[in-house]
Amino acid sequence: FDQAIRSRVSTLQDKTVPALFLLAGGSLPWLGLNGALAILWYAPGTRMNLFGPMSMLNFLHICSQKRILLKDGRSLELLADIDTVVFDKTGTLTIEQPTVSQITSTGGLSEEELLIYAAAAEYKQTHPVAKAILTAAAERQLHVPTIDDARYEIGYGVKVQLAADGEVGKTIRVGSERFMDLEGISIPADIKAQQAACHTHGYSLVMVAIDAELSGTIELRPTVRPEAKEV
């Protein structure tokens, strides 16, 4: 950034040369040769080659004390021209784990029952979606049943068999629309519209199917960091 400042100083000096010569020449009869030379010597910008970089370093030091990291001095200079700021969302403005914001039942189950089935399916998973669902179930103090076996499709969803006292249990599928398509689960038009609305707002929609029928959805929204607004 030192080179950039020097370039700006040189430009300033070039612009002031004609005026300085006129001023020095006009003062020659009254101040003499030494006075005229003094005017030329103390031209604007002469000491900026030294003080400019020192000032920039001082501003960078002030920023560091306020826990603001700047790439270089040029970035600080360009702040005056910025009209748009783009943030990386996940991990910067939000934490990794989302939050359950809405539960929609389409198969006659209550919201709590649908959440219990989803939490049971995700019980052994550690990804952010599973953690969000399990956290919501824990906050509502819901009892999550045990899992007989589970099959997880990476990036799509999870399929589990719930234990039922020796009898064949329910098959629970929790995942994306694509996972439901792969499993042969039909998705109603209103659920597809809900998913489109979620995508528009940057939310995620997790679908829950029991046996061969879609039973509801769980909407997940990003969890904003408490300090994001202040930052």
Side-chain angles (χ1 to χ4, degrees):
F1 66 89
D2 180 70
Q3 184 62 37
I5 294 177
R6 291 178 183 274
S7 177
R8 292 173 59 183
V9 170
S10 297
T11 301
L12 174 63
Q13 290 174 329
D14 291 343
K15 291 180 179 180
T16 59
V17 166
L20 286 172
F21 272 106
L22 288 176
L23 182 60
S27 62
L28 184 60
W30 292 275
L31 301 180
L33 181 59
N34 289 337
L37 291 175
I39 292 176
L40 294 177
W41 177 251
Y42 288 102
T46 301
R47 298 293 180 265
M48 288 182 65
N49 285 323
L50 175 62
F51 296 138
M54 290 179 60
S55 298
M56 185 63 69
L57 287 173
N58 181 54
F59 286 127
L60 291 176
H61 178 65
I62 292 174
C63 289
S64 67
Q65 289 180 324
K66 296 181 178 294
R67 298 190 298 175
I68 299 174
L69 177 63
L70 293 171
K71 182 179 179 181
D72 51 33
R74 183 173 180 272
S75 299
L76 184 60
E77 288 185 313
L78 291 175
L79 285 177
D81 300 325
I82 290 177
D83 59 8
T84 304
V85 179
V86 180
F87 290 94
D88 171 67
K89 180 178 71 66
T90 305
T92 303
L93 300 181
T94 64
I95 62 176
E96 182 182 18
Q97 180 180 320
T99 302
V100 173
S101 60
Q102 181 178 331
I103 301 175
T104 303
S105 177
T106 60
L109 299 176
S110 66
E111 291 185 5
E112 286 75 16
E113 290 173 327
L114 187 69
L115 184 57
I116 287 174
Y117 282 121
E122 299 284 6
Y123 187 75
K124 294 183 179 181
Q125 306 304 321
T126 58
H127 54 79
V129 171
K131 290 180 179 179
I133 293 175
L134 291 171
T135 299
E139 290 175 348
R140 300 190 185 198
Q141 299 181 340
L142 302 178
H143 172 69
V144 179
T146 58
I147 296 174
D148 187 15
D149 63 79
R151 178 171 61 87
Y152 183 62
E153 300 291 341
I154 297 178
Y156 298 144
V158 62
K159 177 180 178 180
V160 303
Q161 286 287 131
L162 294 184
D165 298 327
E167 300 180 0
V168 177
K170 296 180 181 294
T171 300
I172 311 299
R173 296 175 177 87
V174 179
S176 63
E177 178 184 13
R178 184 172 183 180
F179 180 61
M180 296 301 164
D181 289 339
L182 292 174
E183 293 292 317
I185 307 296
S186 60
I187 301 174
D190 57 335
I191 298 301
K192 290 186 176 181
Q194 182 187 11
Q195 178 168 262
C198 286
H199 287 175
T200 299
H201 292 88
Y203 306 151
S204 299
L205 191 67
V206 178
M207 301 188 181
V208 182
I210 300 177
D211 292 330
E213 182 179 353
L214 186 71
S215 298
T217 61
I218 299 176
E219 182 178 306
L220 302 176
R221 298 187 181 185
T223 304
V224 179
R225 288 184 176 275
E227 67 273 18
K229 184 177 181 180
E230 180 183 0
V231 171

